[in-house]
């Protein structure tokens, strides 16, 4: 699980989402767009040769965003 839900919130804001999360239902539309940008960035880092386990990172992010464990 993510150590700090506020960190993901801030990253999604940096990637263009004004309000990344819906109050009770997961990612907002702008949050989803920013989330897809983040996923693409993570896979791009792997393609560029950085030693990251992109699939593991994405799996953790996916689990986090589907379990409604948002910034509380």
């Amino acid at each position: 699980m993510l150590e700090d839900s506020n960190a993901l919130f801030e990253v999604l804001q940096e990637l263009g989402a004004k309000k990344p999360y819906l109050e009770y239902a997961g990612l907002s539309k702008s949050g989803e767009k920013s989330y897809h940008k983040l996923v693409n960035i993570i896979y791009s880092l792997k393609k560029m040769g950085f030693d990251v386990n992109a699939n593991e990172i994405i799996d953790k992010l996916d689990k986090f965003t589907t379990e409604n464990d948002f910034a509380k």
Side-chain angles (χ1 to χ4, degrees):
M1 196 54 68
L2 296 178
E3 293 179 15
D4 184 359
S5 60
N6 289 326
L8 179 58
F9 184 88
E10 291 170 5
V11 168
L12 294 177
Q13 283 185 320
E14 288 293 326
L15 292 172
K18 290 184 181 180
K19 186 178 178 187
Y21 307 143
L22 297 172
E23 191 169 340
Y24 298 107
L27 294 170
S28 65
K29 287 201 183 269
S30 66
E32 286 179 20
K33 288 180 183 179
S34 293
Y35 182 76
H36 289 295
K37 287 179 186 178
L38 177 59
V39 168
N40 288 332
I41 290 168
I42 293 168
Y43 282 126
S44 294
L45 290 171
K46 178 73 174 168
K47 286 180 187 176
M48 292 173 12
F50 288 93
D51 186 22
V52 295
N53 188 336
N55 290 331
E56 182 180 338
I57 295 168
I58 302 303
D59 287 346
K60 286 182 181 181
L61 289 171
D62 284 346
K63 184 175 181 174
F64 178 77
T65 58
T66 58
E67 289 185 352
N68 295 327
D69 188 16
F70 297 103
K72 295 177 181 178

